[in-house]
Amino acid sequence: MKDKLNVILREGKNKISKAKTSEDLKLAKSELLGKHGSIALLLKEIPRLEASQRGKFGRSVNNVKDELTVMIEGRENEIAPEFSWALPDFDTTLPGIHPTRGSLHPITQMCYDLNDAFRSMGFEEFQESDITSELYAFDNLNFRPDHPARESMDTFWLAGHDTGGGGDRLCLRPHLTGASVRYLQTNKPPYRFVYPGRVYRNESTDARHERAFFQYEALIVDREFPFSAGHVMIKSVLSKVFGKDVPVRMRVGFFPFVEPGFEIDMGCLVCNGVGCSVCKHIGWIEVMPGGTPHPNVLRAGGLDPVEYTGFYVNIGLDRLVMMRYGVDDVRLFHSADLRFLRQFC
């Protein structure tokens, strides 16, 4: 039995060393270590030995098995680099496959560009949960108790938390401004911060509107801040983001949380001011409300409106992206259609 084991070891080493391809090595492995291979047949003969010899011989067989296994693994490593590319159907003259790479969503990239622009002016960044309360979404912002924005036809109220009022009535935030009041309450003046995030409105979608979209709020509160400086800030930020001078105009507008309030428009970059469906053929598109924070909003933030003033804007982030790329339908950016989004890689 010992002689037979030595023969198997000697012939096994010879077969392994002569294997030239993976198929040759696979055949040698099957003949030596397979279910019906030489080692398996030898192990079946152990019960025929005397009891005193079985243990010693069994260990010898296992040692030979281990030695052959190590040799096979070593030979596999030698063969693999040499023959891995020598496949009959592989054309080595073909160019390599360019790896797929990810990229930032264009709205995310616009948000980062605005962050850079405002940071260069000394602004901090603020973030908060998408869920807010009636207290912060409306009460603190000077909305009348009967204001239609409080109704479910405009705001997504959370089931089970949609009764009562104040801090007990919860909703998906319909705008970012309420959380700005929270920032005023938890930090010390003067304030200079931005607040990007997604907001939610229960409204019909079209080329310019979505139910869930992105805003970018900026707020300055200080003892003295001239309104004209706010206009300069807007032009500076838009010019930096778009890499060129962008025409801006301010129209009188009413918003409960600012006094005075303004609609702030930029020249439509989709049509370069000529007129198109995006700008309703007037050459201008509304991108943000703005103005001086209302005295009641400052009071809600714990500030004396006689002592403090400021400037507020809430940028429609999606519309800025439409202007940057000349896209006439905001829904495309929220479609998750990779064919569309790959254009911005």
Side-chain angles (χ1 to χ4, degrees):
M1 294 290 287
K2 186 176 180 181
D3 293 338
K4 187 180 294 187
L5 183 60
N6 291 332
V7 170
I8 291 174
L9 179 59
R10 183 173 63 253
E11 292 181 350
K13 288 181 177 180
N14 187 47
K15 288 180 181 180
I16 294 170
S17 62
K18 288 184 176 181
K20 300 298 183 183
T21 67
S22 296
E23 291 299 322
D24 293 342
L25 191 61
K26 188 183 296 184
L27 179 61
K29 184 177 181 179
S30 176
E31 291 177 352
L32 294 169
L33 306 179
K35 186 176 181 181
H36 302 290
S38 303
I39 295 296
L41 294 176
L42 202 58
L43 288 173
K44 291 180 180 180
E45 296 186 18
I46 291 179
R48 300 175 186 174
L49 298 176
E50 295 181 5
S52 59
Q53 297 177 347
R54 293 173 186 171
K56 182 178 180 180
F57 184 73
R59 287 190 293 272
S60 298
V61 174
N62 285 327
N63 289 338
V64 169
K65 181 180 179 180
D66 293 341
E67 187 174 350
L68 292 174
T69 300
V70 171
M71 286 189 66
I72 290 171
E73 291 175 353
R75 187 59 183 152
E76 283 177 345
N77 294 331
E78 293 173 359
I79 291 175
E82 183 178 354
F83 292 98
S84 59
W85 298 109
L87 302 176
D89 298 328
F90 184 79
D91 186 352
T92 57
T93 65
L94 292 175
I97 299 173
H98 188 73
T100 303
R101 65 184 180 91
S103 64
L104 292 175
H105 191 282
I107 294 177
T108 302
Q109 184 60 63
M110 176 62 79
C111 182
Y112 288 173
D113 292 345
L114 285 170
N115 286 345
D116 292 341
F118 278 104
R119 285 195 193 104
S120 69
M121 299 180 182
F123 282 72
E124 297 180 0
E125 184 181 343
F126 176 55
Q127 293 281 353
E128 202 183 48
S129 170
D130 287 12
I131 297 176
T132 187
S133 66
E134 187 173 29
L135 175 65
Y136 282 95
F138 300 108
D139 295 344
N140 289 339
L141 301 184
N142 198 43
F143 280 78
R144 300 189 319 270
D146 60 346
H147 196 284
R150 295 177 184 256
E151 302 298 326
S152 58
M153 65 180 182
D154 280 336
T155 299
F156 290 109
W157 297 101
L158 301 189
H161 301 276
D162 54 351
T163 58
D168 296 327
R169 193 180 185 199
L170 303 182
C171 63
L172 294 177
R173 60 186 179 195
H175 46 236
L176 302 177
T177 314
S180 296
V181 173
R182 195 187 302 274
Y183 184 93
L184 300 183
Q185 293 173 340
T186 54
N187 292 271
K188 295 182 179 180
Y191 307 94
R192 188 180 292 244
F193 67 95
V194 295
Y195 175 24
R198 191 193 294 263
V199 298
Y200 308 86
R201 303 272 179 85
N202 188 9
E203 61 182 35
S204 300
T205 62
D206 57 33
R208 293 175 38 164
H209 299 88
E210 265 287 359
R211 289 188 179 91
F213 55 97
F214 291 88
Q215 291 182 343
Y216 193 101
E217 182 167 303
L219 178 61
I220 296 174
V221 176
D222 209 334
R223 295 181 187 277
E224 294 183 4
F225 188 82
F227 194 86
S228 58
H231 185 268
V232 173
M233 178 190 74
I234 294 169
K235 281 191 66 70
S236 299
V237 169
L238 292 180
S239 296
K240 186 168 184 177
V241 167
F242 289 101
K244 62 181 180 180
D245 184 51
V246 177
V248 173
R249 73 177 186 181
M250 301 176 71
R251 298 177 288 113
V252 175
F254 172 76
F255 303 97
F257 39 85
V258 288
E259 181 61 40
F262 292 87
E263 299 271 11
I264 303 172
D265 305 333
M266 64 176 284
C268 181
L269 300 183
V270 175
C271 63
N272 292 317
V274 175
C276 64
S277 60
V278 175
C279 62
K280 297 182 178 179
H281 303 283
I282 61 174
W284 296 88
I285 183 167
E286 178 192 341
V287 290
M288 62 188 92
T292 300
H294 194 283
N296 289 341
V297 175
L298 294 175
R299 290 189 186 99
L303 300 174
D304 183 354
V306 176
E307 186 177 357
Y308 287 95
T309 185
F311 190 82
Y312 156 90
V313 291
N314 193 318
I315 301 169
L317 199 57
D318 298 17
R319 291 188 182 177
L320 284 195
V321 179
M322 292 173 68
M323 295 296 100
R324 169 176 279 184
Y325 297 108
V327 176
D328 60 2
D329 193 331
V330 70
R331 292 169 294 189
L332 293 170
F333 292 107
H334 298 271
S335 66
D337 188 338
L338 294 181
R339 295 170 301 174
F340 172 76
L341 295 175
R342 284 195 185 101
Q343 300 176 80
F344 311 103
C345 291

